[in-house]
Amino acid sequence: MNRFMAWIAFLFGATYFALPLLGMAEFSLSMRRGVYSLDAYRAVLADPQFQATFAFSVVMALFTIAFGILLVVPTAFWVRLKLPGLRPLVEFLTLLPLVIPAIVVVFGYLRLYNTSSWLPMTGTAMGTNILLMFGYAMLALPYMYRAVDTGLRAIDVATLTEAAQSLGAGWGTILAQVILPNVLPAVLSGAFLTFAIVIGEFTMAALLDRPAFGPYMQILGANKAYEPAALAVIAFAITWACMALIQLVTRFSKHARAQR
Amino acid sequence: MAFLELRNLEKSYGATRVVKDFTIGVEEGEFISLLGPSGCGKTTVLRMVGGFETPSQGAIFIDGKDVVALRANQRAIGMVFQAYALFPNLTVAENVAFGLKVGGVGRAERGARVAEMLALIGLRDLGDRYPFQLSGGQQQRVALARALAPRPKVLLLDEPLSALDAKIRVSLRTEIRAIQKRLGITTIFVTHDQEEALSMSDRVVVMNGGRADQIGTPFEIYNAPTSRFVAGFVGTLNTFDAVVTDQAAGGVTLDDVPLVIGRRLPVAAGQTVGIALRPEAVQLGRDPSREVVLPAKIVEVHFMGAVVRIAAEVAGRKFTIDTFNRVDMPPPAVGKSVEISIAARDFLILSDPVEGGQPRL
């Protein structure tokens, strides 16, 4: 009886999530009257705007991931090793992006870094891109920090660090050759989450006026009928591919096997 | 100057002094054990030598050079940890090669040294394995090889056998000592296990409350402990406070039973002195060659295989007696009245002051 109820609940949940998706997918295939076709997908993929904005967002995501790793791994390592008392504070700080809306942050950026400020980052496209990357890194911070911190918890950071030091390694070597490889599955799961966030982000990119994928989805949605549905399916596929990659990396890493 | 010299080392955390005025000189190739209960400061001393703690005061010289200002990675020390601390993402060979790679040793030389080290620990064929594919004993041997590979000046062993099961512990300690002797490397070994310390070391430092209570060869530490703490911590001991009747001839009374120790005592007649006896120094039965014979009553018998541990009551006090198992002599029955014999030379005189007639501890 219990099992039966559980199945009912599962099927209800699955239907609740799957039906709208199926409806959207069905709609995205219905561009040609009377038959299913991939016309909408073809139109989207052929659109130079799609290619340009998607490429821009992918590059931004890669830079955001690199910056996030450089920021978070040493921070989480140092907090765990030397300043364990600061952990609650750092955890609180990394949670703030979930509480403060992106629009508030971006207005703060515009106020601090506009062309008449002491650091006019919005004066050039490159400066604005860098600003946008900082914003993305901040949005991804809660996920990145938690992923890395959980990874660090699984290894004996203090002893491994001392072992490496006794063998002559400096901080750079320790971080790059001892700590990072051992938290790599965690870092990668944080990286894929970052990728998914950056690909879909709208507010910051739109308000900083950068040609990113998020604003493109919005413009397309406001002006076309079938293409937005196709685009949404593509975006879902990208996100799910990221999730699958997290699973794969976690499953096939030597370190993860060692933990079991 | 000794090869490794610790001079007046002190370490305080806030108001708590965990290491107090610790001084020792370790000769090149010597194997020294720091032995003591948990919290006695032995690991802190080791970590100060390793560069993982900064002394509050004092100096550490390795090969004539003061290393206190040097960071851990500049001291040329090798360290083996209780928790193995092998890098989980590297193979056995890569773990052993780590220190060489960091030190800029070329690929060919590195490979040769790794092979040499793996042969030394008897794991020649396991170079491609990952740490999680090895047993605890194998992991600790790899950790030893990794520490030795860059040819450190000093080897530090921080309770390396504590996490292993009893049999491996015994075989590995023999192996570690053999490797240490073969390489002639100056070694400091931290342990709370007296058997490990006594069986492996050239000299043992017994630590208590942050101080070195006694430094000596295992034979000296066991047979001539200078403090009540050392006597009690190393081996089992019967300790008593006796009243001195004759300082020069070594006469005392133990609850009105006169005993002759036969040596000059450190305190005057009428005062109290701490005396001690190892359980194996007490013989069951009358032995005319021994100066002291006392009547006793058996209160407990523990048959432990090779050794039979007996508790007997003498003048209202409990004596622990160890005898070897003999096929022709079954252990005595509880409640039986017997005699025990003690040779005067076997009495240990504890030099700690007995304040107000009470022992210091």
Side-chain angles (χ1 to χ4, degrees):
Chain A
M1 188 61 193
N2 259 349
R3 179 163 287 222
F4 178 71
M5 290 305 288
W7 272 108
I8 294 284
F10 172 74
L11 284 176
F12 177 76
T15 315
Y16 183 85
F17 285 108
L19 266 187
L21 282 179
L22 282 174
M24 184 176 69
E26 201 263 11
F27 184 68
S28 73
L29 296 170
S30 317
M31 197 171 180
R32 199 175 295 178
R33 197 174 293 265
V35 286
Y36 287 136
S37 71
L38 293 172
D39 286 3
Y41 292 87
R42 216 167 284 133
V44 168
L45 294 175
D47 184 356
Q49 276 290 91
F50 167 82
Q51 290 159 12
T53 56
F54 189 69
F56 177 84
S57 283
V58 167
V59 172
M60 286 302 290
L62 294 179
F63 276 104
T64 307
I65 288 165
F67 177 72
I69 291 173
L70 286 177
L71 177 73
V72 169
V73 174
T75 308
F77 167 68
W78 203 250
V79 167
R80 202 156 259 284
L81 191 67
K82 299 276 184 187
L83 305 165
L86 277 189
R87 263 190 74 200
L89 178 70
V90 175
E91 287 203 348
F92 173 73
L93 285 177
T94 58
L95 278 179
L96 279 182
L98 293 181
V99 185
I100 301 173
I103 194 160
V104 174
V105 176
V106 82
F107 271 109
Y109 279 0
L110 287 174
R111 189 152 176 77
L112 272 175
Y113 304 114
N114 63 47
T115 43
S116 52
S117 74
W118 60 279
L119 189 61
M121 288 184 77
T122 55
T124 60
M126 182 51 78
T128 318
N129 285 346
I130 292 171
L131 202 56
L132 181 61
M133 187 198 71
F134 287 156
Y136 285 158
M138 189 210 66
L139 287 181
L141 199 58
Y143 310 100
M144 194 61 151
Y145 186 83
R146 248 144 221 83
V148 171
D149 198 46
T150 309
L152 287 173
R153 198 174 305 165
I155 58 172
D156 187 348
V157 173
T159 316
L160 287 181
T161 303
E162 286 180 359
Q165 280 179 313
S166 75
L167 292 165
W171 291 117
T173 312
I174 292 172
L175 269 170
Q177 292 185 29
V178 177
I179 301 300
L180 192 59
N182 284 303
V183 294
L184 201 57
V187 167
L188 285 177
S189 72
F192 291 129
L193 286 171
T194 306
F195 187 81
I197 289 170
V198 172
I199 292 297
E201 207 280 334
F202 168 76
T203 316
M204 288 192 168
L207 286 168
L208 288 174
D209 194 25
R210 300 311 304 145
F213 192 55
Y216 170 72
M217 282 201 286
Q218 191 272 332
I219 291 166
L220 201 70
N223 297 303
K224 297 269 171 75
Y226 296 98
E227 286 86 344
L231 195 58
V233 171
I234 292 170
F236 263 109
I238 292 167
T239 313
W240 285 346
C242 285
M243 299 291 181
L245 276 177
I246 295 176
Q247 288 295 322
L248 279 179
V249 166
T250 318
R251 187 155 303 174
F252 288 112
S253 87
K254 281 170 266 168
H255 174 62
R257 270 188 288 146
Q259 293 301 311
R260 288 193 190 119
Chain B
M1 184 188 269
F3 184 75
L4 167 64
E5 194 150 317
L6 315 185
R7 239 182 251 168
N8 308 107
L9 273 193
E10 300 258 344
K11 179 69 187 175
S12 304
Y13 296 105
T16 318
R17 285 168 73 205
V18 290
V19 175
K20 302 166 192 163
D21 197 20
F22 189 91
T23 297
I24 187 177
V26 183
E27 295 305 328
E28 193 165 7
E30 203 178 4
F31 191 115
I32 293 275
S33 287
L34 304 183
L35 173 68
S38 47
C40 71
K42 56 189 191 298
T43 299
T44 310
V45 170
L46 191 82
R47 291 175 60 80
M48 286 195 280
V49 178
F52 304 116
E53 302 281 353
T54 312
S56 308
Q57 259 182 57
I60 301 169
F61 292 91
I62 297 178
D63 202 5
K65 191 173 161 197
D66 188 353
V67 297
V68 168
L70 296 183
R71 289 197 296 270
N73 58 348
Q74 301 168 324
R75 291 195 183 187
I77 45 114
M79 185 145 172
V80 176
F81 299 84
Q82 185 179 343
Y84 322 138
L86 294 179
F87 305 128
N89 57 311
L90 302 181
T91 63
V92 166
E94 288 165 345
N95 262 285
V96 176
F98 187 89
L100 301 168
K101 206 171 157 190
V102 168
V105 176
R107 184 180 287 266
E109 196 186 330
R110 214 157 64 205
R113 181 71 176 158
V114 169
E116 185 189 342
M117 286 293 109
L118 291 182
L120 185 73
I121 56 164
L123 296 179
R124 209 190 296 257
D125 303 327
L126 301 188
D128 295 332
R129 297 260 182 102
Y130 282 93
F132 74 93
Q133 295 169 313
L134 303 181
S135 70
Q138 288 173 328
Q139 288 192 49
Q140 201 55 298
R141 273 145 73 192
V142 174
L144 180 67
R146 181 181 67 175
L148 291 170
R151 297 187 171 84
K153 287 181 177 163
V154 177
L155 178 65
L156 306 177
L157 307 170
D158 186 8
E159 306 211 24
L161 305 173
S162 303
L164 303 169
D165 48 15
K167 259 200 169 147
I168 310 247
R169 209 181 300 171
V170 173
S171 68
L172 195 53
R173 81 182 181 211
T174 317
E175 206 174 318
I176 289 177
R177 177 61 162 153
I179 289 173
Q180 183 270 337
K181 272 190 167 163
R182 195 178 328 160
L183 301 180
I185 184 165
T186 313
T187 304
I188 302 186
F189 177 76
V190 159
T191 181
H192 60 263
D193 184 324
Q194 43 159 314
E195 206 179 293
E196 278 174 13
L198 294 178
S199 65
M200 295 171 80
S201 319
D202 293 316
R203 280 190 297 158
V204 177
V205 181
V206 183
M207 290 191 65
N208 178 28
R211 280 178 209 284
D213 246 29
Q214 188 174 356
I215 302 176
T217 63
F219 186 83
E220 285 165 0
I221 294 283
Y222 189 80
N223 291 306
T226 52
S227 76
R228 203 175 289 266
F229 174 80
V230 175
F233 190 76
V234 182
T236 311
L237 204 67
N238 299 298
T239 52
F240 316 100
D241 292 323
V243 178
V244 177
T245 52
D246 184 342
Q247 186 183 10
V252 298
T253 59
L254 185 64
D255 287 340
D256 301 329
V257 178
L259 300 175
V260 179
I261 291 171
R263 271 166 286 166
R264 187 181 166 79
L265 297 173
V267 294
Q271 288 186 302
T272 309
V273 68
I275 57 173
L277 264 178
R278 293 284 178 203
E280 67 271 22
V282 183
Q283 194 188 325
L284 214 53
R286 177 177 285 269
D287 179 351
S289 68
R290 299 185 178 216
E291 293 87 342
V292 180
V293 178
L294 298 168
K297 195 173 142 195
I298 307 289
V299 288
E300 280 169 39
V301 175
H302 300 282
F303 184 76
M304 304 195 298
V307 172
V308 183
R309 178 155 287 183
I310 298 163
E313 214 171 71
V314 182
R317 286 161 192 274
K318 214 163 153 185
F319 268 64
T320 303
I321 306 165
D322 281 352
T323 61
F324 274 119
N325 170 47
R326 275 172 51 186
V327 183
D328 58 346
M329 204 177 83
V334 172
K336 190 180 171 190
S337 291
V338 294
E339 284 181 315
I340 57 168
S341 313
I342 303 161
R345 65 162 194 278
D346 287 333
F347 283 110
L348 306 173
I349 298 159
L350 305 176
S351 61
D352 308 39
V354 181
E355 290 156 7
Q358 289 300 311
R360 194 180 64 170
L361 291 172

